[in-house]
Amino acid sequence: MAVGRNNWMFFGSDQGGTTAAVLRSFTASCQRVGVEPFAWFKDILSRIATHPITRISELLPHNWKPTPA
């Protein structure tokens, strides 16, 4: 992150900053539990529309299990 420190201040809008913060938070959570962030995002985005809202916590990085190929 050292390269982007000064550049991270400019997002174009408040919503852009909020979105970047959420995405960075998920990426950091994936790294903390040893999950590859791109694989997690790809799997979650393909499943989230059909996943029951009552079981949404299963999709968080620390509970995530990839779908079998």
Side-chain angles (χ1 to χ4, degrees):
M1 278 291 165
V3 173
R5 283 189 185 143
N6 289 329
N7 294 331
W8 288 99
M9 296 187 307
F10 305 103
F11 292 104
S13 69
D14 289 340
Q15 186 61 38
T18 300
T19 301
V22 168
L23 292 175
R24 181 64 187 126
S25 175
F26 277 129
T27 302
S29 294
C30 286
Q31 291 172 341
R32 190 176 312 119
V33 295
V35 171
E36 203 278 305
F38 182 75
W40 179 79
F41 275 117
K42 183 178 175 185
D43 185 51
I44 294 308
L45 291 175
S46 68
R47 291 173 31 182
I48 199 160
T50 59
H51 198 79
I53 192 72
T54 56
R55 293 179 21 222
I56 203 75
S57 65
E58 295 173 3
L59 301 180
L60 294 173
H62 61 277
N63 293 330
W64 177 68
K65 292 182 180 39
T67 53

